[in-house]
Amino acid sequence: MIPRIEFKASEAVRAALSAIGRTEDLRFSPDNRLLAIAGFARKRCLILKVEVEPAPDDPQVTIHDFMELTSEGIGEIHGLDFIDDQTLVVANRDGMIAIFSLPGGEPAGRSREIAPIRQIKGGLFCKLKTPGSVVARQDQRGRVSLLVCNNYRNQVTRHVVDRRWGYRARKNHLLLKHGLDIPDGIALSHDGQWVAVSSHGTNDVKIYSMSAALGPDTEPAGILENANYPHGLRFTGDGRHILVADAGSPMLHIYDSDTGWNGRHTPSRSVAVLDDETFKRGRASLEEGGPKGLDIDRSGHVVAVTCQEQTLAFFPLASMAGQPLELLRQT
């Protein structure tokens, strides 16, 4: 197991982390000042005010404050992403996609009941069903594409929303389906050329090229193998590496590609992010116990991981990937 970064936090922050219950995805805000964690079981979202400081050895992480959000638009929240620094989209496995404007001011340990700006259920021929993970892509003219894993419909849908229209959905269509079996996580490369989808039932991650038109019959350009039950995943800034959280083991897998993501890939490295005792404590089935949520902070220094038995842990990206930091950063 690689050494964790021992983050600084007050007792109030640590109590909020302990109380959140079963977690799923997590996500840093674009300005790197906030970290949102999906509290699946307790139907709430925990917003942390964070600071990542580079250091000669390992980066330093401080959690300064927190805010706990509840809403009629937050149910069994499984996935989330930031549209911008103050706008959050959540995927509720028991409901719909909801978009929120975060409360202003400092978090200050507040518990807030908030109303969604918009709830999205899909179109007539593209209904959302068990949305589990979501990623937001900035399009042109104020539009945002929400790519959504519909977990138990075994498909990914795309919903184009317009900021100028209060995030009303202008388009809804089926984006990906072929070969997917419980798509459980989704990530876009920083250059927008690739989209990766965890396929829980086939025990792999499927990668699609965004340079061509996508549709339900599109086959993946590449496949990442040897992940028991892949969940959260992220591209590094240079697009040459993908980190995959394995919910069925204590491991996080790192895949490398210098020439693209076509073809089949096995991990170049696998590292334990849970000790044996913590992993076994959460081992309710073969599909559980390991890391779920995974994100890389926007400065490219820190990997954040979450699961039910270890609500939040940070690791240095460079030591995890086994390469110098400058090769992993976004160019």
Side-chain angles (χ1 to χ4, degrees):
M1 182 173 176
I2 63 172
R4 292 187 297 184
I5 298 171
E6 296 301 328
F7 63 88
K8 301 175 184 178
S10 67
E11 289 302 316
V13 168
R14 295 185 186 278
L17 285 166
S18 297
I20 195 65
R22 174 181 165 182
T23 55
E24 291 291 342
D25 286 349
L26 79 171
R27 191 72 165 133
F28 285 94
S29 61
D31 64 5
N32 221 37
R33 296 181 65 249
L34 301 177
L35 178 61
I37 303 178
F40 178 88
R42 296 191 62 213
K43 299 183 178 181
R44 59 200 61 212
C45 181
L46 186 64
I47 306 292
L48 303 175
K49 182 180 178 181
V50 297
E51 182 180 7
V52 177
E53 298 178 274
D57 297 320
D58 290 338
Q60 305 297 310
V61 179
T62 303
I63 304 177
H64 293 287
D65 214 333
F66 73 95
M67 177 168 53
E68 192 176 76
L69 303 178
T70 57
S71 172
E72 64 176 14
I74 298 178
E76 292 180 347
I77 173 175
H78 189 277
L80 39 71
D81 196 10
F82 282 90
I83 293 175
D84 57 40
D85 292 330
Q86 291 298 315
T87 311
L88 185 70
V89 55
V90 307
N92 299 299
R93 190 179 266 179
D94 61 343
M96 294 182 283
I97 293 289
I99 299 174
F100 297 92
S101 179
L102 296 181
E106 291 297 313
R110 293 179 290 169
S111 294
R112 289 287 305 272
E113 174 84 19
I114 61 174
I117 302 172
R118 180 75 59 185
Q119 295 192 72
I120 298 169
K121 59 182 180 181
L124 181 61
F125 301 106
C126 183
K127 294 288 186 184
L128 279 167
K129 183 70 173 179
T130 61
S133 294
V134 59
V135 65
R137 187 187 73 180
Q138 303 297 323
D139 294 341
Q140 296 179 343
R141 298 187 298 275
R143 296 179 184 178
V144 179
S145 284
L146 305 178
L147 309 186
V148 181
C149 294
N150 294 255
N151 289 161
Y152 299 125
R153 276 203 168 166
N154 302 322
Q155 61 191 29
V156 175
T157 53
R158 176 175 177 244
H159 309 271
V160 181
V161 299
D162 197 321
R163 299 172 191 265
R164 300 166 299 179
W165 290 48
Y167 293 100
R168 181 179 300 172
R170 299 175 62 96
K171 295 180 182 179
N172 305 276
H173 68 266
L174 177 57
L175 186 68
L176 298 167
K177 185 175 177 64
H178 181 83
L180 293 175
D181 188 351
I182 313 180
D184 219 7
I186 188 166
L188 285 167
S189 62
H190 289 267
D191 60 8
Q193 295 299 305
W194 303 95
V195 58
V197 183
S198 297
S199 184
H200 179 96
T202 54
N203 311 108
D204 58 25
V205 174
K206 301 184 190 302
I207 304 179
Y208 303 85
S209 172
M210 299 287 282
S211 61
L214 299 177
D217 297 324
T218 302
E219 296 191 8
I223 294 179
L224 308 184
E225 300 177 319
N226 297 358
N228 291 332
Y229 292 99
H231 198 278
L233 67 165
R234 284 290 178 266
F235 288 85
T236 56
D238 61 4
R240 296 181 180 178
H241 313 270
I242 298 178
L243 278 59
V244 178
D246 187 346
S249 83
M251 311 301 287
L252 189 150
H253 306 294
I254 299 96
Y255 297 82
D256 298 343
S257 176
D258 292 327
T259 58
W261 291 105
N262 294 297
R264 293 182 175 269
H265 303 262
T266 56
S268 61
R269 192 178 187 205
S270 296
V271 296
V273 293
L274 294 168
D275 59 53
D276 288 341
E277 181 181 350
T278 304
F279 174 63
K280 290 175 182 177
R281 196 164 59 241
R283 191 75 166 152
S285 72
L286 291 176
E287 304 173 9
E288 299 289 339
K292 291 286 194 73
L294 162 70
D295 199 15
I296 300 171
D297 90 293
R298 302 303 176 113
S299 72
H301 288 88
V302 168
V303 178
V305 177
T306 186
C307 67
Q308 181 168 345
E309 300 298 330
Q310 181 174 274
T311 307
L312 183 61
F314 297 100
F315 300 89
L317 174 60
S319 64
M320 181 172 287
Q323 294 198 20
L325 182 63
E326 58 268 19
L327 297 182
L328 301 167
R329 299 281 298 280
Q330 185 173 3
T331 56

